[in-house]
Amino acid sequence: MAVSFLSTVPNLLPIVPVQASITSASRYPTLAATVRCRKIEADADNEDMLKRRSILKCFGATVGLELVRSSGTFVEMAEAADLIQRRQRSDFQSSIKDTLYKAIKENPDVIPSLLTLALNDIMTYDKASKTGGPNGSIRFSSEISRPENKGLVAALNLVEEAKKEIDSYSKGGPISYSDLIQYAAQSAIKNTFLAAAIRKCGGNVEKGSLLYTAYGSNGQWGLFDRTFGRADTQEPDPEGRVPQWDKASVQEMKDKFSAVGFGPRQLAVMSAFLGRDQTATESLLATDPEVLPWVQKYQRSRETVSETDYEVDLITTLTKLSSLGQQINYEAYTYPIKKVDFSKLKL
């Protein structure tokens, strides 16, 4: 028995180009092609040689060529949609940051608690089971009331008040607690960077702001800002995963950071997140020979004009920590654009 297919084969012979042309109206060439086919020979006793896989290959080859031929329009549409979504997310982020900046400026005493709130939401992550992490679970009363979260209620209240305002102007749905808690930490740590620059200028706010703009780390937040679209969990994370930082030994802190994939360097740079008194925390960390060199490195960095090593390493570490166990939805907070009916426009 002989079976033949037109324009489809399980074993494609070379594709023979007929003509390729590019017009000024299109960025993509149109390629015409001929697909040559072989006959598939099968006798009556061995018909099972004509496998389903072969037929699917034939069909796939034809469809694939058609998609390649007509992909230009789809690519252009996808690029345009992607740009619109990026702009929507970027505008929304700017509004979120403005809201948080104002809230923190009015409540500067809550900054250390905002940092610990973010860290403790992160540190429920369990590497083995890939559960927990920055999922907003700390918002639940049964979790915020745990011993390791003592003193963090005011920080959570600030986040909740900011969320109400942000949700009121969001066009793409309510912001998740998991995103907002990490963005509150970003705003808080930026505030400490700016405050350090102002101190170096003798308390002159204008000069300090110029110093931070010129030499600061604002340009290093790109990857953090792209990690935007975390999903909230609907239940508290398991107990016993987060140490009480103010009572933990350095070894216990090291063990916890190691359990989520980080070492002494990251522990040292995150010292501001481990309690209200960063100086006292660093004095404790410096008693450990593995952590001491990193504490000294970041203390020296904070004495420089730009604080480059300290700020860049902190941003890098926070960015990695704040995505542990999360599947980021890169289309979160986007929304459809209303179509304009040009027939109703009066010219």
Side-chain angles (χ1 to χ4, degrees), residues 34-346:
T34 300
V35 181
R36 293 181 179 176
C37 307
R38 288 179 179 174
K39 289 183 178 181
I40 303 172
E41 303 290 344
D43 56 44
D45 296 328
N46 200 21
E47 291 185 2
D48 62 340
M49 290 179 63
L50 186 58
K51 302 290 185 182
R52 183 183 303 174
R53 184 181 303 172
S54 298
I55 297 174
L56 292 176
K57 283 182 180 179
C58 297
F59 179 74
T62 304
V63 172
L65 286 172
E66 178 60 24
L67 288 176
V68 169
R69 185 187 68 80
S70 60
S71 63
T73 302
F74 290 116
V75 170
E76 289 176 341
M77 291 173 63
E79 286 178 348
D82 184 53
L83 288 173
I84 291 171
Q85 290 183 341
R86 284 192 209 173
R87 180 59 184 268
Q88 289 174 348
R89 284 162 60 86
S90 177
D91 289 346
F92 187 42
Q93 284 178 336
S94 296
S95 298
I96 293 167
K97 292 175 184 179
D98 287 343
T99 298
L100 289 169
Y101 174 80
K102 293 173 185 175
I104 292 171
K105 187 177 181 180
E106 294 173 0
N107 301 275
D109 292 341
V110 83
I111 287 175
S113 298
L114 284 171
L115 300 181
T116 306
L117 183 77
L119 180 63
N120 285 7
D121 196 39
I122 290 167
M123 284 300 184
T124 58
Y125 179 66
D126 179 68
K127 194 174 181 180
S129 62
K130 299 189 185 303
T131 58
N135 56 18
S137 65
I138 202 168
R139 74 188 188 274
F140 292 109
S141 59
S142 60
E143 187 166 329
I144 194 67
S145 61
R146 293 172 186 171
E148 66 268 21
N149 297 325
K150 183 180 179 181
L152 302 184
V153 172
L156 181 59
N157 288 342
L158 183 146
V159 169
E160 289 178 333
E161 288 302 312
K163 188 178 190 307
K164 291 177 184 176
E165 181 179 342
I166 291 166
D167 289 349
S168 71
Y169 58 68
S170 173
K171 298 177 182 179
I175 187 170
S176 66
Y177 278 94
S178 47
D179 273 336
L180 188 54
I181 288 169
Q182 298 307 315
Y183 271 78
Q186 180 198 43
S187 294
I189 204 66
K190 279 185 174 183
N191 186 286
T192 68
F193 293 165
L194 176 59
I198 292 171
R199 284 195 301 271
K200 288 169 185 173
C201 293
N204 188 305
V205 175
E206 184 178 359
K207 289 182 178 179
S209 298
L210 289 172
L211 176 65
Y212 180 56
T213 301
Y215 295 101
S217 55
N218 259 328
Q220 302 297 320
W221 289 101
L223 184 56
F224 181 93
D225 287 342
R226 285 194 292 276
T227 311
F228 184 50
R230 301 169 184 83
D232 282 342
T233 184
Q234 299 307 311
E235 59 185 10
D237 283 335
E239 294 187 56
R241 293 185 176 184
V242 183
Q244 289 182 251
W245 304 112
D246 59 340
K247 295 182 179 180
S249 67
V250 180
Q251 187 59 52
E252 287 172 330
M253 296 183 194
K254 286 168 58 180
D255 289 345
K256 181 57 193 178
F257 270 72
S258 177
V260 297
F262 294 81
R265 178 176 187 169
Q266 289 76 29
L267 174 60
V269 82
M270 294 290 287
S271 59
F273 288 68
L274 301 173
R276 298 194 66 84
D277 189 340
Q278 184 177 16
T279 302
T281 300
E282 289 186 332
S283 296
L284 175 61
L285 294 175
T287 62
D288 185 282
E290 288 186 319
V291 188
L292 173 61
W294 298 109
V295 171
Q296 293 173 332
K297 174 185 175 70
Y298 296 129
Q299 287 177 339
R300 289 193 299 268
S301 177
R302 290 200 299 270
E303 293 173 0
T304 64
V305 171
S306 63
E307 299 191 358
T308 300
D309 288 343
Y310 171 65
E311 292 188 7
V312 170
D313 282 7
L314 194 158
I315 292 168
T316 301
T317 301
L318 179 60
T319 299
K320 292 178 180 178
L321 283 168
S322 67
S323 61
L324 288 176
Q326 283 288 306
Q327 295 292 327
I328 305 300
N329 176 12
Y330 293 100
E331 295 182 357
Y333 314 120
T334 60
Y335 50 91
I337 301 294
K338 292 183 179 179
K339 294 182 179 180
V340 178
D341 187 352
F342 290 99
S343 65
K344 296 182 179 179
L345 293 178
K346 294 181 179 180

